[in-house]
Amino acid sequence: GTGSNILSALQDLFWLLKSKAEKQLQIISVLQWVLTFLIMGIACTLILMYILCTDCWAIAALYLAWLVFDWNTPKKGGRRSQWVRNWAIWRYFRDYFPIRLVKTHNLLTTRNYIFGYHPHGIMGLGAFCNFSTEATGVSQKFPGIRPYLATLAGNFRMPILRDYLMSGGICPVNRDSIDYILSKNGNGNAIIIVVGGAAESLNCTPGKNSVTLKNRKGFVKLALRHGADLVPVYSFGENEVYKQVIFEEGSWGRWVQKKFQKHIGFAPCIFHGRGLFSSTTWGLLPYSKPITTVVGEPITIPKIDNPSQKDVDFYHSIYVDSLIKLFDKYKSKFGLLETEVLEVN
């Protein structure tokens, strides 16, 4: 009896230690991504400049020469790495929240797609995990489809960061890049555009389900020019992982945010999550709230070389209706009340 009690106690201790170790790995995996999002571009630029002033200047010079030679690669589909996309760290990243990808319809490999991702949240955690890694099984759920998450073009001017982003299948959210992928990269491509962008991030806060979409029609025009089907995507829980100070329209804070958004491309947000060592303190780590990303039914889009405004408005209205229907169909299943309404701004 004593032997079996000792064995049982050792087993319990083993599982307790394993559980704690996994939790720490989850925290580390999320922390490295948050730091990458916030400071990697600037940090790598400063380090490269410093190396140029040391005895190792030749290393930095060689990289800069390579950078000039490779400058247009992000505009031509990038340079994805399945090895990077399959890193174990992304599975720990997924399990921290956890993040889940839900497929509702099959996608044909003979078509190209533009996914509209909503809402933006503070950092687009669900968009990154689901489409720039294989942690939630996007390649298994949509076989033959190559996802490209589109993000700020300015990120690809940053040394090292640009290569890191491209390895995950991330591309610049500009016309040149999207045109190339949808017209010169064959079929089976899916470009994920966070439609609300920086403007939407300014209004994201726990408990709020709103999207910036009414006047966002450029992605519809792109879809029509290339005959790429539109796919609404809603990520339940994306707004729950950070708390943000919301500045009212007309306030000095909102004025500053809009100026940054207009001239730099992103809007500075005042936000916080939990602390590194305690969930009761403030810090940069997001709260561990579930994020469930639902990929809706594709909307068949005809190819029109020069779509009129009437064409764009027509398919934009269909897209908005499809997004609202997707939200209403799955809201109660993923933690919202039946009375919740998706606010479209």
Side-chain angles (χ1 to χ4, degrees):
T2 303
S4 95
N5 287 339
I6 293 174
L7 181 59
S8 178
L10 288 173
Q11 287 176 335
D12 291 342
L13 179 62
F14 171 77
W15 288 113
L16 179 63
L17 292 174
K18 183 180 179 181
S19 176
K20 286 186 176 181
E22 287 185 350
K23 188 61 180 176
Q24 293 304 313
L25 287 170
Q26 290 170 11
I27 289 173
I28 292 169
S29 69
V30 174
L31 180 62
Q32 68 82 26
W33 189 86
V34 171
L35 293 177
T36 296
F37 182 91
L38 294 176
I39 66 171
M40 184 177 178
I42 295 173
C44 288
T45 302
L46 293 175
I47 291 170
L48 198 65
M49 291 172 63
Y50 171 75
I51 293 174
L52 280 171
C53 301
T54 69
D55 292 338
C56 298
W57 63 270
I59 297 174
L62 283 172
Y63 178 80
L64 289 174
W66 159 253
L67 191 63
V68 172
F69 174 78
D70 195 54
W71 190 253
N72 288 322
T73 298
K75 298 178 183 178
K76 297 180 179 180
R79 189 171 45 247
R80 75 174 56 219
S81 165
Q82 286 302 114
W83 175 65
V84 173
R85 287 175 60 89
N86 281 286
W87 277 354
I89 196 172
W90 306 131
R91 294 193 290 275
Y92 289 111
F93 182 97
R94 172 199 66 197
D95 293 340
Y96 172 84
F97 298 93
I99 295 174
R100 180 186 172 202
L101 180 65
V102 176
K103 169 186 173 180
T104 63
H105 291 79
N106 292 323
L107 298 181
L108 299 175
T109 57
T110 55
R111 300 285 292 174
N112 284 325
Y113 301 91
I114 293 179
F115 287 17
Y117 184 92
H118 314 269
H120 183 286
I122 295 290
M123 296 186 184
L125 293 157
F128 171 80
C129 185
N130 285 308
F131 302 113
S132 294
T133 81
E134 294 297 330
T136 56
V138 63
S139 293
Q140 287 73 44
K141 290 176 180 177
F142 300 103
I145 301 297
R146 293 180 298 277
Y148 293 87
L149 176 61
T151 188
L152 288 175
N155 290 326
F156 296 89
R157 300 187 188 103
M158 300 284 190
I160 311 300
L161 176 63
R162 68 188 291 277
D163 301 288
Y164 189 40
L165 294 178
M166 284 194 291
S167 68
I170 301 177
C171 68
V173 63
N174 58 33
R175 181 168 171 175
D176 289 342
S177 177
I178 294 172
D179 281 348
Y180 184 92
I181 293 170
L182 294 180
S183 63
K184 298 179 181 179
N185 202 40
N187 295 321
N189 303 293
I191 298 178
I192 298 88
I193 300 176
V194 185
V195 178
E200 191 172 84
S201 69
L202 298 178
N203 295 313
C204 67
T205 188
K208 187 171 185 179
N209 296 289
S210 66
V211 296
T212 301
L213 183 57
K214 279 184 180 178
N215 297 315
R216 299 295 175 107
K217 300 180 180 181
F219 73 106
V220 178
K221 190 173 184 177
L222 280 170
L224 285 165
R225 289 180 61 246
H226 293 285
D229 293 347
L230 289 171
V231 182
V233 179
Y234 197 86
S235 211
F236 294 91
E238 186 72 65
N239 284 345
E240 307 299 316
V241 296
Y242 279 110
K243 295 178 181 178
Q244 180 183 189
V245 177
I246 304 293
F247 293 102
E248 297 295 329
E249 290 292 338
S251 66
W252 67 269
R254 183 53 65 100
W255 179 84
V256 170
Q257 289 176 322
K258 286 188 173 181
K259 286 295 181 182
F260 264 84
Q261 179 189 339
K262 180 180 179 180
H263 297 292
I264 301 178
F266 73 92
C269 301
I270 299 177
F271 65 92
H272 74 84
R274 54 155 289 182
L276 180 59
F277 302 107
S278 171
S279 60
T280 58
T281 58
W282 289 10
L284 288 176
L285 278 177
Y287 294 105
S288 53
K289 303 286 186 179
I291 298 174
T292 305
T293 302
V294 184
V295 180
E297 182 177 4
I299 303 164
T300 303
I301 302 293
K303 188 177 187 302
I304 305 175
D305 290 333
N306 294 297
S308 66
Q309 190 59 49
K310 185 178 179 181
D311 294 326
V312 174
D313 291 342
F314 175 73
Y315 285 100
H316 181 267
S317 66
I318 293 176
Y319 178 86
V320 173
D321 289 342
S322 296
L323 179 64
I324 293 172
K325 288 177 182 176
L326 180 70
F327 176 84
D328 289 339
K329 182 176 181 179
Y330 289 95
K331 60 186 178 183
S332 60
K333 187 174 182 180
F334 299 120
L336 300 181
L337 300 174
E338 278 291 343
T339 53
E340 288 285 346
V341 176
L342 180 62
E343 181 184 332
V344 180
N345 299 313

